Every structure is written in C-alpha cells, then in structure tokens.
Amino acid sequence: MCFRSFVKKILSLVFSCECGINSKFRFSQSEISEIISNAQKANLKYFECLAKIKELSAFDVSYLMSNVKLDENKVEIIKHACSMYDEKEFNALGQTFSDFIFRVSANINYLNDSNLNIFKELVLCKNELYDFSSALKNPLKALHKSASMKLSYAFENVFVE
C-alpha cells in the first residue's frame, strides 16, 4: 500500500505542476529552457515581457536576453522599435528582422523615443555598420551633416559640341 500511495502522490503532484505551467507563451518548452539557460541572470525577469512581443522569434529573444543588459526602458524601446519595423521596406534592402534586432541591441544604450526615427533611417541605409553611437548621441548634428553633404550644381544641363 505504501508504494501505491507514493505513486498516487507523485501523479497528483505532476498533474498539479502541469496545470500550474503558464502555457500562454508561444515558444515550445525546449525553446524556453534554451533561452533561460543562456540568459543573463539579471534579465530573467524580462523574459515574459519580451515573449509577449509577437514580432520577436525565440532566437531574437534569446539573443537579447543573453547579450543585452535589460531594464524597463530598454524593453519599451525594443517594443517601440519592433512596431516601427516595416517588412516591405527592410526586405527590399535585403535586411531581415533579426538584422534589425541586432542593430537595435548594438545601439540600445543610445536609443530613446526621440531618436528612434533617426535610427530607423540609419538602418535603412544599405551598409554593414551596426554601431550608430556617434549619430545617436547628437541626432541634430547627424541630420545637418547628411543635409550638407548633398551635392549642388550651379547649372543643370551641360551642352558639349
């Protein structure tokens, strides 16, 4: 009888544990365990917030949790940046959403709500640069510099004989 009661107790604990698992995540159990095993300990509390962002894949969440020192402001910036991503614009340039997230993570310390539009313009430029820290520190200077670099000519047409 002791063995039978032990098995019943184990089964009831397993069943109660399964019922207590939050199944609202869109990632599989193996993906969740991989994300958590690779994440920084301080970032574990932000997992649920990042998992709720529908645009982020398990790979993107894992990358952010393991390589970025997150806080509430950075999570909000990531949410805002994900909402700004336009698949048609970026795919036309050969950039994927993961590329965009890598660039966001490389510049997360310099990003805020006021310079996210400038960041998007910088990312849309076809280049291999991931660090936009100098432009994001002083966005007005970067905009002025890009405007002043445009070539202007004193005449429109040149006629050659």
Side-chain angles (χ1 to χ4, degrees), residues 84 111 113-125 132 135-136 138-143:
M84 290 177 59
L111 291 174
D113 288 334
S114 63
N115 65 6
L116 272 174
N117 290 327
I118 294 169
F119 174 75
K120 181 181 176 184
E121 289 180 24
L122 290 171
V123 173
L124 281 172
C125 296
F132 301 120
L136 293 173
N138 192 354
L140 293 177
K141 183 179 178 184
L143 285 176

Side-chain angles (χ1 to χ4, degrees), residues 11-160:
L11 289 175
S12 68
L13 289 174
V14 167
F15 179 72
S16 66
C17 181
E18 286 177 1
C19 291
I21 292 175
N22 187 357
S23 61
K24 294 179 184 174
F25 290 120
R26 56 194 169 87
F27 304 129
S28 68
Q29 195 64 33
S30 62
E31 289 173 330
I32 292 172
S33 62
E34 184 178 337
I35 291 169
I36 291 174
S37 68
N38 292 329
Q40 297 176 10
K41 299 275 189 235
N43 291 341
L44 289 177
K45 58 186 171 185
Y46 302 109
F47 173 68
E48 189 172 354
C49 296
L50 291 176
K52 288 181 181 177
I53 302 173
K54 294 178 183 176
E55 294 89 357
L56 294 175
S57 67
F59 176 74
D60 298 330
V61 172
S62 178
Y63 179 80
L64 289 169
M65 292 203 45
S66 62
N67 293 323
V68 178
K69 187 173 181 346
L70 296 171
D71 60 22
E72 288 84 15
N73 294 332
K74 291 178 182 176
V75 172
E76 288 301 316
I77 289 170
I78 291 168
K79 283 182 189 177
H80 190 100
C82 289
S83 67
M84 290 177 59
Y85 180 81
D86 183 16
E87 192 170 342
K88 290 179 184 176
E89 278 183 313
F90 287 91
N91 283 347
L93 298 171
Q95 296 181 23
T96 64
F97 184 73
S98 291
D99 291 333
F100 181 70
I101 292 300
F102 293 157
R103 290 183 181 200
V104 168
S105 67
N107 297 287
I108 193 83
N109 293 324
Y110 304 105
L111 291 174
N112 54 40
D113 288 334
S114 63
N115 65 6
L116 272 174
N117 290 327
I118 294 169
F119 174 75
K120 181 181 176 184
E121 289 180 24
L122 290 171
V123 173
L124 281 172
C125 296
K126 194 168 187 170
N127 59 28
E128 298 300 320
L129 184 66
Y130 277 79
D131 184 17
F132 301 120
S133 58
S134 60
L136 293 173
K137 285 180 187 176
N138 192 354
L140 293 177
K141 183 179 178 184
L143 285 176
H144 175 69
K145 188 175 182 181
S146 67
S148 66
M149 293 296 290
K150 293 180 182 175
L151 297 175
S152 57
Y153 297 98
F155 45 86
E156 254 183 58
N157 297 323
V158 176
F159 298 102
V160 179

